Amino acid sequence: MTDAVTLAAHDVRWEADGRMIIDGVTLAAEPNRILGLIGPNGSGKSSLLRLLCRLRKVASGVVTLDGADIAGLPRRDLARRLAFVEQQATTDVHLTVCDVVRLGRTPHRSAFASWNAADEQAVEAALTRVGLAERHHQPWHTLSGGERQRVHIARALAQDPRELILDEPTNHLDIRHQLSILALIRRLGLTCIVALHDLNLASLFCDRIGVLHEGRLVACGAPAKVLTPELIRRVFEVEVRICEGTGGHRHVEYVVDHQQGDSR
């Protein structure tokens, strides 16, 4: 790992029901860059993200933020520094867009503190960054799926984080909104760790890619070095061809045998 890191996992393990879910993972997020996590369903992506933001406690190993064990950081201090956008975040349908984003200010306010100008400024800035400043008072339930995801990102930004963790932020979105959300994340300029399913989106938007397989990190590096036919065959059990895409990004082309039946 490079010395210029902020959030890092060091030989992290976590198990559930007697089964090892995360098995000795070591990886690090570089400042102001996007680290993508890919892997098949059940490979441990979501579990690892929750360990990185202390929603789960590691069984062994350590997660550090600027070299300090996050287990020793006050939860409020950690929430002021690191924000997490869940895969399928739910929100009360009676709330407005502003109500949802205001929830992100919780780590910065004491239990009985009144709402102040700094809080309002943070909310407005977050909505502006995600392109929803004009939707301030719109009811939550009237938003599209892509707009709702932008609001959840705005809520995370209202925490004023330096690190942003996102669990499959493009899940259930159409292609246009997938590209829009990832382009937004790219423009934020934050240190990001994002779990993705789509290999081509990971190649297009991530600076580095970590590949999880059965709870282990089997590769981590630049997309051009990680996304190889051999690795994809081993991890995802599919055949691909790698083509050079726009801007030097690798494009994964799946090889499908239409004559082949179900191999299960």
Side-chain angles (χ1 to χ4, degrees), residues 137-160:
H137 297 295
Q138 185 168 336
W140 166 260
H141 70 274
T142 65
L143 299 176
S144 69
E147 290 167 340
R148 290 187 182 193
Q149 190 63 284
R150 285 177 176 266
V151 172
H152 283 305
I153 293 174
R155 178 173 65 176
L157 294 176
Q159 292 178 223
D160 196 24

Side-chain angles (χ1 to χ4, degrees), residues 39 41 45-46 49 85-88 149 166-172 194-197:
N41 288 340
K45 299 187 298 296
S46 295
L49 294 184
V85 178
E86 296 183 70
Q87 182 179 144
Q88 294 180 332
Q149 190 63 284
L166 306 102
D167 189 4
E168 297 187 21
T170 58
N171 199 23
H172 303 307
V194 53
L196 293 168
H197 263 305

Side-chain angles (χ1 to χ4, degrees), residues 27-262:
L27 84 167
E30 297 177 354
N32 312 119
R33 296 174 75 82
I34 298 177
L35 171 62
L37 291 180
I38 63 174
N41 288 340
S43 60
K45 299 187 298 296
S46 295
S47 295
L48 179 58
L49 294 184
R50 282 159 175 75
L51 293 170
L52 290 173
C53 58
R54 212 175 77 180
L55 289 178
R56 289 175 177 161
K57 183 179 179 181
V58 301
S60 65
V62 63
V63 176
T64 60
L65 186 61
D66 289 343
D69 185 348
I70 66 168
L73 297 177
R75 188 165 294 278
R76 181 180 291 269
D77 291 349
L78 184 62
R80 289 174 176 172
R81 174 68 185 271
L82 187 154
F84 178 56
V85 178
E86 296 183 70
Q87 182 179 144
Q88 294 180 332
T90 57
T91 303
D92 193 311
V93 295
H94 301 297
L95 298 179
T96 65
V97 167
C98 182
D99 292 332
V100 175
V101 179
R102 282 180 171 180
L103 296 173
R105 296 302 296 166
T106 301
H108 296 271
R109 306 175 68 245
S110 61
F112 302 103
S114 59
W115 191 258
N116 59 40
D119 294 320
E120 192 63 34
Q121 184 178 10
V123 168
E124 293 299 328
L127 283 170
T128 298
R129 290 179 79 180
V130 303
L132 291 177
E134 296 180 355
R135 305 295 185 92
H136 191 283
H137 297 295
Q138 185 168 336
W140 166 260
H141 70 274
T142 65
L143 299 176
S144 69
E147 290 167 340
R148 290 187 182 193
Q149 190 63 284
R150 285 177 176 266
V151 172
H152 283 305
I153 293 174
R155 178 173 65 176
L157 294 176
Q159 292 178 223
D160 196 24
R162 286 167 52 188
E163 287 79 22
L164 182 61
I165 296 177
L166 306 102
D167 189 4
E168 297 187 21
T170 58
N171 199 23
H172 303 307
L173 299 182
D174 61 36
I175 297 298
R176 180 172 70 88
H177 285 103
Q178 289 180 31
L179 293 171
S180 177
I181 289 294
L182 290 173
L184 164 64
I185 293 168
R186 185 81 190 177
R187 290 194 303 271
L188 294 176
L190 298 174
T191 303
C192 294
I193 302 179
V194 53
L196 293 168
H197 263 305
D198 191 301
L199 304 187
N200 285 310
L201 290 179
S203 174
L204 190 59
F205 288 99
C206 298
D207 299 295
R208 294 167 61 240
I209 294 175
V211 184
L212 286 173
H213 181 49
E214 297 179 347
R216 298 183 179 90
L217 187 72
V218 297
C220 190
K225 293 187 176 181
V226 169
L227 296 177
T228 66
E230 295 77 17
L231 181 137
I232 293 172
R233 181 186 307 115
R234 175 162 60 95
V235 172
F236 293 93
E237 300 181 358
V238 295
E239 296 294 330
V240 302
R241 286 188 289 264
I242 303 296
C243 309
E244 290 301 321
T246 58
H249 296 285
R250 308 207 96 187
H251 177 74
V252 178
E253 180 180 297
Y254 297 97
V255 179
V256 180
D257 182 356
H258 294 285
Q259 303 301 319
Q260 183 176 3
D262 191 345

